[in-house]
Amino acid sequence: MAAEKLRDLSQPIDVALLDATVAAFYGTGSKDERTAADHILRELQNNPDMWLQVVHILSNTQSLNTKFFALQVLEGVIKYRWNVLPVEQRDGMKNYISDVIVKLSSNEVSFRQERLYVNKLNIILVQILKHEWPARWRSFIPDLVTAAKTSETLCENCMVILKLLSEEVFDFSRGEMTQQKIKELKQSLNSEFQLIHELCLYVLSASQRTELIRATLATLHAFLSWIPLGYIFESPLLETLLKFFPVPSYRNLTLQCLTEVAALNFGDFYNLQYAKMYTIFMVQLQTVLPVSTNIPDAYGNGSSEEQAFIQNLALFFTSFYKFHIRILESSQENIAALLMGLEYLLNISYVDDTEVFKVCLDYWNLLVLELFEANHNLDNPAATANMMGLQTQMIPGIIDGHGTQLMQRRQLYSAPMSKLRLLMISRMAKPEEVLIVEDENGNIVRETLKDNDVLVQYKIMRETLIYLCHLDHNDTEKQMLKKLSKQLNGEDWTWNNLNTLCWAIGSISGSMMEEQENRFLVMVIRDLLNLCEITKGKDNKAVIASNIMYVVGQYPRFLRAHWKFLKTVVNKLFEFMHETHPGVQDMACDTFLKIVQKCKRKFVILQVGESEPFVSELLTTLPTTIIDLEPHQIHTFYESVGCMIQAETEAAKREEYLQRLMNLPNLRWTEIIGQARSSVDYLKDQDVVRAVLNILQTNTSAASALGTHFLSQITLIFLDMLNVYKMYSELISSTIAEGGPYASRTSYVKLLRSVKKETLKLIETFLDKAEDQPQIGKQFVPPMMDPVLGDYARNVPDARESEVLSLFATIINKYKAAMIDDVPRIFEAVFQCTLEMITKNFEDYPEHRLKFFSLLQAIATHCFGALILLSPEQLKLVMDSVMWAFRHTERNIAETGLNLLLEMLKNFQTSEFRNQFYRSYFVLIVQEIFAVLTDTFHKPGFKLHVLVLQHLFCLVESGALTEPLWDASTVSYSYPNNGAFVREYTIKLLCGSFPNIPASEVTRFVNGLFESRADLSTFKNHIRDFLVQSKEFATQDNKDLYAEEAAAQKEKERQRMLSIPGLIAPNEIQDEMVDS
């Protein structure tokens, strides 16, 4: 009954009853009461007339929760329906909200009591302003400033509203308002700022009230980043701020304001004022925080206010230096203040707080890069001359003058840079390759989770250290060796000190000249091996072992040039493979693989002083080397040896090595197959299944390294392997048939399926890595047709392996058009039955989904002829499944679907069947693409949605389609051409989907699409603006709409990094390293 009464909005709502309902929702009553209240409140919220009751509710309720509920309803209307409301309703609401705010904030008592409510009202007012101001509410700022002068509490609240307004327009506007609206609001704020500026200065000079001054400083902070500079530098504002800086209660807010000023950068006009501001600031800072203070300790023991101060101080220094450091290099007095500031920043950089360190690190990285680039160009005078637009031969004097200047600058920073090197070495973050870490109890354990923040920090620190190394190789080397000697003599020995030092040494690989690097490394590795010998204790040894492995893995160039060291290091790794401390064996195997990949030739040639190549010696002792390793470590080991064998150029030797490598698994395989021939039940034993799985995994590891050269080995086991596959498959099917769906989850069935998956993975790995030799395809594909494809079709859905799909996708991608005759057979086996599995919902069989669409894409790309031969029903199934894929909320499936769609559209465009195809699907594709484009769940697919639409609009205007796209039997009107039909259809479609956007806007948008179709970036921006205008995207984070631009920037950065020695680690450069 109560619910009915609330639902009837034809008369004023019963506020007491609404209070009770809201209280029940937030209350501690029964679950049913809460659910019922939730249901009623949702209904009310969704009722389009509910907002008309808001004033009545706010005027009559005392409950804060009810007020918030009413304001939530109002906020929805303001965001999505404000512009379609009648003028008198908008004005009424505007005036009511303004009056309530003034009433509550004019009085000290009500302002303090109703603070939360007033804050929410302020937010509502700013939401209204975004629509009304400036066009329909010109007097807003003057009215606000006048009101502010009537009482101090009202003034404080006016400051809060101004701050909110500034944030809405300048900080949160991207993706929420159209470019035009943002521009309009910025211009209005700029033109009316004088009133706000006068008000702020008036408050700061006249008021004694702490809360008001704090609110004013907070508002200034929001405005300083964009106001005209004259208001800052040609008024008493800066002096006022510097005067407030030493006062403890305003210190942090003032510092934030000064930081905003420091971050402004508009040419040299105000350089003198900046220098003056900095020197006065430095004088005051020394009274607040003397230079001699131990800042890390002060931070550790400080209150949250004091900690915030140190963080703000870091932000101030880094912002100021980022834009104005050059101003401080001009006179001796300024240089002294600059060096003192850098000293402060270095001390703050030792604070044990990630956020503070990040702020400092980002700046150090910038400064060092700037110094490095100037010197990099100095070492390469032609580049400097080109930068300055000069011809080198003409004016050598200028280059020298410029050079001297650069040398002086380098000199100026040499002392802080030396201290910075020590900081980077002492605080180096952990690289990804290091698996051994200290847990919170101080034990050394294997790392279980990667910490992405640490990896990002490592990347920046590594880059910074490489630039520092380039600025002064000798100082870098000296500091590292000095720190290492302190580890050896025990003066500075701790796990953390050794770790950070070794991570720093590893991170500068490739940045020194080869001779210096060789000399440096000989000392480092010798010292580390000594340290390993003289240090006692398992944990200590594990830490040192991990560091030795990390360092040697980073310097392939050194190892290739020094066979003796390489051999010693590899033998040391073999030693570590017997060390059972968690993580050591894993790291030993990983490092072994890494070294072999970069030095593989060294192991197959006969080295001076050796009786046989190292690989031969290794194969002889292989059984004892791997005796203590776990199966997954053995697989890595086999991949490493496979890499070595692959580097052998003589076929006979290669075969001999491969045979010796695979001897152990082959003996066990022969034994198992022999037993199975006499009794097939032998294969059903769990331990035997595990052994089969292990043998197959070992083969896969070797195949991934050897590629084509693995042919003899796979031929040896191929047919037996298919028989085992078939037998296990039948066993799985019968177990599931007898035990029902739960049988598929038993550990035994999972184990059998692992063998099937590994078999497919082995074949796929081999075919993928093998060179493109048609006879290999002819040898391996036909025998798989029934055991693999036929088996897939015959199986129950739960027993079908998704790897079958990816295997055949790999085969088609590899052998391309040669596979065209087999496509009908593949279609018949997998198409219908897989679609039935994956189209019931979006969740089941995730692996099959992705691999199925990858297979379709391979067919569309390389065997398009086979798609054309499909019957219309089958083609409709394909197209339905493609649309189904790009509707998927799983990002990679949607992307695969869109790529597949693009491939098919391009292929059909040039085929003779294009008219039939596009007549059937053009309109449908436009409809479906717009549906996902305007759905916020599908933002990541934005780039591909745009490409599909561009393709369709270009195609329809090109005249390539000679038959009408509309169905003449249902459309009575005859369009002059397809372009006109598509235009009208798209306008109708979007008007139906977006009733809140006027039809004229939609028409303008669609016409714009046709006009800009030839230029992708204009076309894309046009769509972006439309999406932002539509309500769904207005309140979201829209960075996915800009993802493509971000990717292009990333590639440009990689090219820059490749040009600086050491910046991309030697391990990461995908080259065939010359190691003959």
Side-chain angles (χ1 to χ4, degrees):
M1 184 58 214
E4 286 309 314
K5 195 171 173 191
L6 280 177
R7 283 193 195 102
D8 176 18
L9 297 178
S10 57
Q11 59 225 37
I13 198 162
D14 182 337
V15 176
L17 189 55
L18 180 64
D19 279 347
T21 311
V22 173
F25 176 68
Y26 285 107
T28 49
S30 70
K31 190 178 173 194
D32 292 346
E33 283 173 357
R34 274 209 303 280
T35 311
D38 178 39
H39 189 67
I40 296 168
L41 294 175
R42 273 178 200 279
E43 255 185 68
L44 287 176
Q45 211 170 347
N46 294 332
N47 188 319
D49 296 329
M50 177 64 188
W51 81 276
L52 296 167
Q53 303 275 353
V54 167
V55 173
H56 170 68
I57 297 168
L58 293 177
S59 311
N60 292 296
T61 181
Q62 294 304 311
S63 155
L64 189 60
N65 284 336
T66 307
K67 287 177 181 173
F68 273 17
F69 170 70
L71 291 176
Q72 216 175 342
V73 171
L74 182 58
E75 198 166 6
V77 172
I78 295 169
K79 266 189 184 164
Y80 304 133
R81 289 172 43 213
W82 185 261
N83 289 334
V84 293
L85 298 178
V87 176
E88 59 278 5
Q89 286 186 350
R90 289 197 304 238
D91 287 349
M93 186 50 75
K94 199 161 78 181
N95 296 334
Y96 174 74
I97 295 285
S98 308
D99 292 346
V100 178
I101 290 177
V102 170
K103 187 172 144 220
L104 289 174
S105 55
S106 299
N107 165 342
E108 173 84 39
V109 179
S110 62
F111 184 51
R112 294 283 166 249
Q113 277 175 349
E114 302 272 6
R115 195 60 192 257
L116 284 172
Y117 179 38
V118 175
N119 284 347
K120 186 68 182 170
L121 286 168
N122 290 339
I123 290 169
I124 297 283
L125 182 66
V126 171
Q127 294 291 357
I128 293 176
L129 278 172
K130 278 159 68 176
H131 295 287
E132 293 288 290
W133 179 73
R136 296 194 289 247
W137 195 351
R138 291 226 167 273
S139 64
F140 169 69
I141 298 254
D143 291 353
L144 186 82
V145 171
T146 313
K149 290 180 178 165
T150 57
S151 98
E152 289 206 295
T153 46
L154 185 52
C155 184
E156 188 181 331
N157 195 52
C158 289
M159 290 295 178
V160 173
I161 292 170
L162 285 169
K163 176 170 181 277
L164 280 172
L165 181 61
S166 173
E167 287 171 347
E168 279 293 332
V169 176
F170 288 91
D171 303 342
F172 309 139
S173 54
R174 180 175 170 178
E176 277 207 9
M177 296 186 269
T178 59
Q179 307 295 321
Q180 190 51 42
K181 182 70 183 168
I182 295 170
K183 198 170 156 192
E184 195 185 331
L185 291 182
K186 283 185 176 176
Q187 281 170 347
S188 301
L189 268 176
N190 248 333
S191 60
E192 307 209 23
F193 186 71
Q194 188 171 355
L195 291 167
I196 302 170
H197 181 248
E198 286 167 4
L199 178 66
C200 291
L201 279 178
Y202 171 69
V203 170
L204 291 178
S205 60
S207 176
Q208 298 300 309
R209 185 188 156 90
T210 308
E211 289 92 342
L212 176 54
I213 292 178
R214 286 177 68 89
T216 307
L217 289 170
T219 302
L220 264 177
H221 177 238
F223 276 83
L224 281 168
S225 61
W226 56 264
I227 60 174
L229 293 185
Y231 287 121
I232 301 173
F233 294 108
E234 292 166 27
S235 80
L237 184 62
L238 268 184
E239 287 161 43
T240 313
L241 287 174
L242 287 165
K243 195 174 74 201
F244 276 108
F245 173 60
V247 184
S249 51
Y250 309 133
R251 187 185 296 157
N252 274 326
L253 283 164
T254 314
L255 193 46
Q256 284 173 334
C257 290
L258 291 170
T259 303
E260 283 297 339
V261 175
L264 297 172
N265 180 28
F266 295 102
D268 301 338
F269 194 70
Y270 291 109
N271 280 356
L272 284 172
Q273 283 91 330
Y274 269 117
K276 187 178 165 196
M277 161 181 147
Y278 180 83
T279 44
I280 296 174
F281 176 80
M282 288 307 293
V283 171
Q284 291 188 335
L285 178 61
Q286 290 170 67
T287 59
V288 176
L289 186 76
V291 188
S292 55
T293 313
N294 180 333
I295 294 181
D297 282 1
Y299 185 92
N301 306 322
S303 64
S304 56
E305 274 285 297
E306 288 164 337
Q307 290 185 341
F309 175 70
I310 288 172
Q311 188 163 359
N312 287 332
L313 195 55
L315 285 164
F316 171 77
F317 279 129
T318 54
S319 303
F320 194 96
Y321 294 154
K322 223 174 268 183
F323 301 110
H324 312 290
I325 197 161
R326 295 285 186 147
I327 304 165
L328 301 176
E329 295 168 9
S330 56
S331 74
Q332 274 320 111
E333 182 196 355
N334 289 349
I335 288 176
L338 165 63
L339 292 175
M340 185 191 290
L342 289 171
E343 190 66 36
Y344 270 112
L345 194 56
L346 277 162
N347 289 337
I348 294 172
S349 305
Y350 280 98
V351 164
D352 188 12
D353 177 282
T354 320
E355 289 310 309
V356 175
F357 185 62
K358 259 189 204 158
V359 170
C360 302
L361 178 61
D362 284 345
Y363 175 65
W364 292 129
N365 181 259
L366 273 176
L367 174 65
V368 172
L369 171 61
E370 188 194 330
L371 291 171
F372 163 75
E373 283 189 335
N375 282 297
H376 192 47
N377 292 326
L378 179 64
D379 300 336
N380 175 3
T384 315
N386 287 338
M387 274 169 54
M388 297 167 68
L390 302 170
Q391 294 301 312
T392 336
Q393 21 339 355
M394 285 165 46
I395 327 176
I398 292 204
I399 303 294
D400 294 347
H402 186 59
T404 316
Q405 207 180 336
L406 284 174
M407 289 312 289
Q408 284 171 344
R409 190 159 192 247
R410 192 171 174 169
Q411 208 52 50
L412 167 65
Y413 287 104
S414 67
M417 289 304 104
S418 184
K419 288 181 179 170
L420 182 58
R421 280 183 199 100
L422 185 60
L423 167 74
M424 289 298 143
I425 295 167
S426 312
R427 290 204 64 165
M428 194 68 196
K430 187 180 82 61
E432 196 168 3
E433 298 91 330
V434 177
L435 304 175
I436 296 156
V437 293
E438 187 177 348
D439 68 7
E440 62 270 22
N441 305 320
N443 301 318
I444 294 296
V445 294
R446 187 201 151 92
E447 181 179 51
T448 46
L449 284 173
K450 295 264 175 248
D451 183 338
N452 278 338
D453 286 349
V454 173
L455 294 180
V456 170
Q457 191 172 314
Y458 169 72
K459 186 172 164 290
I460 301 173
M461 291 188 78
R462 179 178 166 275
E463 215 175 274
T464 311
L465 195 53
I466 283 171
Y467 293 138
L468 283 166
C469 185
H470 279 299
L471 284 173
D472 189 339
H473 291 109
N474 297 336
D475 185 58
T476 312
E477 182 183 352
K478 195 172 83 193
Q479 298 223 36
M480 287 178 167
L481 290 175
K482 185 176 166 191
K483 231 173 153 26
L484 184 56
S485 68
K486 286 184 176 175
Q487 296 297 313
L488 268 163
N489 63 25
E491 183 187 328
D492 210 3
W493 158 258
T494 67
W495 291 341
N496 187 50
N497 286 347
L498 181 69
N499 286 342
T500 52
L501 171 63
C502 290
W503 299 339
I505 291 172
S507 71
I508 60 167
S509 169
S511 61
M512 292 180 178
M513 297 300 285
E514 197 163 351
E515 288 152 42
Q516 183 174 12
E517 184 173 277
N518 290 347
R519 195 182 63 237
F520 171 59
L521 266 182
V522 168
M523 293 195 255
V524 168
I525 295 176
R526 194 189 55 213
D527 283 357
L528 285 173
L529 290 171
N530 283 343
L531 192 60
C532 198
E533 294 306 314
I534 59 175
T535 311
K536 300 284 177 278
K538 252 187 164 352
D539 275 359
N540 292 337
K541 279 196 182 308
V543 171
I544 300 169
S546 135
N547 283 312
I548 291 175
M549 291 189 279
Y550 174 64
V551 171
V552 295
Q554 294 305 304
Y555 284 93
R557 180 171 73 175
F558 170 78
L559 295 175
R560 277 203 306 275
H562 299 81
W563 166 249
K564 285 268 188 312
F565 254 106
L566 175 55
K567 188 179 175 184
T568 309
V569 161
V570 170
N571 284 326
K572 195 73 187 168
L573 291 176
F574 292 167
E575 236 178 79
F576 291 148
M577 287 178 193
H578 300 289
E579 173 56 69
T580 52
H581 198 291
V584 174
Q585 288 170 306
D586 276 318
M587 209 168 155
C589 293
D590 291 352
T591 308
F592 180 45
L593 175 58
K594 197 172 180 180
I595 290 176
V596 170
Q597 282 168 338
K598 293 297 183 188
C599 310
K600 50 192 171 202
R601 284 280 302 142
K602 298 290 166 203
F603 298 105
V604 292
I605 53 180
L606 185 62
Q607 297 286 352
V608 179
E610 305 283 346
S611 56
E612 57 180 346
F614 186 83
V615 63
S616 181
E617 189 185 316
L618 180 153
L619 289 166
T620 309
T621 56
L622 185 136
T624 50
T625 308
I626 62 172
I627 197 159
D628 292 322
L629 295 177
E630 299 287 317
H632 72 275
Q633 294 159 345
I634 292 175
H635 303 149
T636 308
F637 191 88
Y638 266 72
E639 186 184 341
S640 310
V641 185
C643 263
M644 287 184 192
I645 297 172
Q646 189 256 335
E648 173 56 71
T649 47
E650 223 176 289
K653 280 189 180 173
R654 215 172 33 231
E655 283 303 315
E656 179 217 330
Y657 292 152
L658 174 60
Q659 231 170 336
R660 287 169 65 189
L661 173 65
M662 301 311 291
N663 187 30
L664 283 174
N666 283 348
L667 284 174
R668 184 81 179 99
W669 177 258
T670 314
E671 180 195 330
I672 290 172
I673 297 298
Q675 294 268 26
R677 288 214 170 94
S678 53
S679 158
V680 82
D681 284 351
Y682 176 72
L683 281 172
K684 296 179 183 174
D685 179 80
Q686 287 230 21
D687 290 335
V688 175
V689 180
R690 275 200 192 88
V692 169
L693 178 61
N694 194 8
I695 293 166
L696 291 174
Q697 286 170 328
T698 308
N699 273 280
T700 307
S701 297
S704 69
L706 280 156
T708 316
H709 305 318
F710 192 70
L711 181 62
S712 58
Q713 168 63 19
I714 197 166
T715 310
L716 195 67
I717 60 171
F718 186 66
L719 295 174
D720 285 334
M721 185 168 75
L722 286 183
N723 288 331
V724 172
Y725 180 93
K726 197 171 177 183
M727 187 212 134
Y728 280 174
S729 191
E730 285 159 6
L731 184 56
I732 291 168
S733 286
S734 60
T735 312
I736 291 178
E738 288 161 24
Y742 290 107
S744 66
R745 295 186 201 139
T746 58
S747 59
Y748 183 56
V749 168
K750 280 182 177 167
L751 188 61
L752 292 174
R753 290 190 68 171
S754 297
V755 173
K756 283 182 71 182
K757 286 176 193 291
E758 195 56 44
T759 305
L760 296 166
K761 185 178 170 189
L762 171 56
I763 300 169
E764 185 179 337
T765 303
F766 170 66
L767 291 177
D768 185 36
K769 300 276 182 185
E771 286 157 25
D772 191 356
Q773 296 175 346
Q775 77 273 15
I776 293 185
K778 296 267 185 301
Q779 181 184 341
F780 288 98
V781 176
M784 288 193 297
M785 281 301 182
D786 185 69
V788 175
L789 272 183
D791 170 78
Y792 183 90
R794 289 189 294 270
N795 265 335
V796 293
D798 279 345
R800 289 187 188 130
E801 304 306 336
S802 63
E803 285 75 6
V804 171
L805 304 172
S806 58
L807 170 62
F808 279 90
T810 301
I811 290 171
I812 291 172
N813 282 327
K814 189 79 180 182
Y815 300 109
K816 302 187 171 64
M819 294 297 300
I820 198 152
D821 298 336
D822 296 306
V823 170
R825 178 81 194 274
I826 296 172
F827 248 78
E828 194 187 323
V830 304
F831 196 74
Q832 192 84 37
C833 63
T834 309
L835 269 181
E836 282 166 12
M837 289 162 63
I838 64 176
T839 48
K840 288 194 176 76
N841 56 39
F842 278 151
E843 285 81 41
D844 297 348
Y845 308 108
E847 291 292 309
H848 290 71
R849 283 166 204 282
L850 191 54
K851 291 174 180 170
F852 174 70
F853 294 115
S854 301
L855 173 61
L856 267 187
Q857 192 172 355
I859 294 172
T861 309
H862 302 298
C863 304
F864 184 69
L867 280 182
I868 289 179
L869 300 176
L870 294 177
S871 67
E873 294 73 32
Q874 282 179 310
L875 183 63
K876 183 174 182 333
L877 266 179
V878 172
M879 290 307 293
D880 286 351
S881 67
V882 171
M883 291 187 203
W884 198 86
F886 67 67
R887 271 191 240 133
H888 211 288
T889 46
E890 187 67 49
R891 181 174 179 165
N892 45 6
I893 293 176
E895 275 186 16
T896 308
L898 288 162
N899 281 317
L900 171 55
L901 175 63
L902 268 170
E903 195 61 53
M904 291 180 70
L905 292 177
K906 284 173 188 163
N907 282 328
F908 269 111
Q909 183 184 356
T910 52
S911 96
E912 64 209 271
F913 301 102
R914 61 173 168 267
N915 280 310
Q916 294 97 304
F917 173 79
Y918 280 105
R919 193 168 59 235
S920 305
Y921 297 108
F922 190 99
V923 170
L924 188 58
I925 294 170
V926 169
Q927 183 184 333
E928 290 295 340
I929 288 288
F930 269 114
V932 286
L933 176 71
T934 53
D935 176 350
T936 52
F937 280 124
H938 287 279
K939 261 189 254 184
F942 177 72
K943 170 191 161 189
L944 292 164
H945 299 150
V946 169
L947 286 173
V948 172
L949 287 176
Q950 188 195 21
H951 172 89
L952 293 173
F953 285 132
C954 285
L955 173 72
V956 80
E957 288 287 296
S958 69
L961 301 179
T962 50
E963 295 176 22
L965 289 172
W966 63 93
D967 183 352
S969 60
T970 56
V971 178
S972 51
Y973 176 68
S974 178
Y975 293 93
N977 55 33
N978 281 328
F981 162 69
V982 172
R983 214 174 270 247
E984 186 168 319
Y985 172 78
T986 313
I987 292 171
K988 274 187 189 154
L989 174 76
L990 292 173
C991 284
S993 307
F994 294 106
N996 64 320
I997 298 181
S1000 58
E1001 278 294 311
V1002 173
T1003 309
R1004 199 170 64 77
F1005 167 62
V1006 174
N1007 288 338
L1009 285 182
F1010 276 95
E1011 285 156 24
S1012 63
R1013 67 182 187 281
D1015 175 17
L1016 182 62
S1017 72
T1018 318
F1019 188 77
K1020 196 191 309 173
N1021 282 328
H1022 191 59
I1023 294 180
R1024 259 190 213 135
D1025 269 355
F1026 177 76
L1027 290 179
V1028 168
Q1029 226 176 331
S1030 74
K1031 68 176 184 181
E1032 279 85 354
F1033 282 72
T1035 53
Q1036 302 240 344
D1037 168 11
N1038 289 323
K1039 69 173 182 294
D1040 282 324
L1041 304 186
Y1042 298 88
E1044 198 182 351
E1045 284 80 348
Q1049 190 55 41
K1050 212 165 162 187
E1051 178 50 32
K1052 195 173 160 190
E1053 172 62 7
R1054 181 173 164 79
Q1055 292 308 320
R1056 181 191 74 80
M1057 288 169 74
L1058 278 168
S1059 69
I1060 299 168
L1063 212 49
I1064 290 188
N1067 292 313
E1068 291 167 23
I1069 298 175
Q1070 294 299 323
D1071 60 349
E1072 271 308 313
M1073 283 205 150
V1074 189
D1075 57 33
S1076 53

